[in-house]
Amino acid sequence: MKFAAEYRDGTIGRAIARRLHDVVDTDRHYKLMEICGGHTHTIYKYGIASLLPANVELVHGPGCPVCVIPMGRVADAIAIARRPGVILTCFGDLLRVPGSEGTLLDAKAAGADVRVVYSPLDALRIARENPDAEVVFFAIGFETTAPSTALTLLRARAEATANFSCFCNHVTIGPPLRALLDSPEVSLDGFVGPGHVATVVGSGPFEFIPAEHGKGVVIAGFEPIDVLQAVLMLLEQLRSGRCEVEIQYVRAVTPAGNPRALAAMDTVFATRPQFEWRGLGFIPDSALRLADEFADFDAELRFDMPGVRIDDPKACQCGEVLRGSIKPWECKVFGTACTPERPIGTCMVAAEGACAAYFNYGRLAAGARQPEVVG
Amino acid sequence: MRVVEPAAPLQGARCVAADGTIALVLLDLVDAAVGDEVLVHGGVAIARTAS
């Protein structure tokens, strides 16, 4: 399997692991954050933690888009879906995200027309096929998925598809990282940077991390060898006293990113002055809305929505997981009241969520609740 | 995914994944020709993958 099998080679992985043990200072502890939920998934699925030196700790960051969407926005989507004549489309992960009045799956069971799509382009096709319905795409994701929404809206405008609109919840990666680094609660030694976001934005948005906070960043791919090599590159930075943004995922990421994707996003979106993140609160300039030129396609302008702020359930500690303050298994309800079948928090819903990844790959291993036994 | 058939702007090009999955992918954001490998998110190629 090109670009996959060669990055899952156990012999190479063990060789990198031996090198990791050579470069660490045994007298100190290293705390590295993998920003992206895709990396969290890889770490648990392939037992990366079991290959690391005991004094190297990986903590999970806020880079899972489903995990950070606040309950109020889910309630808004459900309100749209319940309207007669509306077809609400979304990615599959969103169906089971709890809002204040249940999930989109509950709304679908009660009769709302909610459909899963693999691409916003599928939502546009549904709009063409159902000219008497209002078709809404519930858009979420970082800069990785925002280009596909942007191209879909450009196409909708070119085709004058009047019954299509977008409920935009796209977010950007830089502001939450800045908020995280400004928080006294979290102390980190470096970051494994999000490879797919960086294919679009390049390495520039991460330069403030070494420049202003003195922490290294290695932008990594998503196969186990990618993650191990990124950890090695971070540890080598620390050993040599360097502090910079490096790209491990060179087969997809360039320093400039994807200028065409950025241009499409710049045409279609504008920055929101504030946006609420689950567990992280309101973060300035951290999300996108449709630009004024695309107001005709903006579901927030087309439909009345509750637009209320809803607190997370008290038992849920997703916020602490997303800030890297606690590990999934340290949450009060992990694996008991909160499971993938009946999630309380978003981190247990999404495939990229840290709690779901640990629940699926780590909890049943010998000596469970310790990450190093995964795999 | 590997591009197996070209397409006009804002129209999906036929692409095939390593596991045989076939999808229509917009190639407007990358310079990709038939035979190239692309990284796809949400039905849109966001990078051409280089070995």
Side-chain angles (χ1 to χ4, degrees), chain A residues 10-23 51 53 232:
Chain A
T11 305
I12 298 171
R14 282 185 287 275
I16 296 174
R18 283 193 293 275
R19 178 76 183 134
L20 289 172
H21 285 80
D22 292 339
V23 299
L51 294 171
L232 177 60

Side-chain angles (χ1 to χ4, degrees), chain B residues 17-49:
Chain B
D19 66 359
T21 302
I22 294 173
L24 294 176
V25 175
L26 290 191
L27 299 179
D28 300 62
L29 302 182
V30 296
D31 284 318
V34 171
D36 286 341
E37 299 275 350
V38 291
L39 178 65
V40 179
H41 265 268
V44 173
I46 56 171
R48 190 177 66 187
T49 315

Side-chain angles (χ1 to χ4, degrees), chain A residues 190-213:
Chain A
F191 292 88
V192 176
H196 287 168
V197 165
T199 61
V200 174
V201 302
S203 55
F206 305 100
E207 293 289 352
F208 80 94
I209 298 175
E212 298 176 23
H213 297 274

Side-chain angles (χ1 to χ4, degrees), chain A residues 1-3 91 118-121 144-145 147-148 151 154-155 158-159 196 199-200 249 251-252 258 260-261 264, chain B residues 10-12 18-19 24-31 35 37 39 41-51:
Chain A
M1 197 181 291
K2 194 176 181 188
F3 298 125
F91 295 135
Y118 292 94
S119 162
L121 293 159
T144 317
T145 46
S148 65
L151 280 194
L154 287 168
R155 186 164 165 180
E159 296 174 352
H196 287 168
T199 61
V200 174
Y249 196 26
R251 62 190 185 278
N258 184 331
R260 282 190 224 166
Chain B
L10 290 178
Q11 304 296 319
D19 66 359
L24 294 176
V25 175
L26 290 191
L27 299 179
D28 300 62
L29 302 182
V30 296
D31 284 318
E37 299 275 350
L39 178 65
H41 265 268
V44 173
I46 56 171
R48 190 177 66 187
T49 315
S51 52

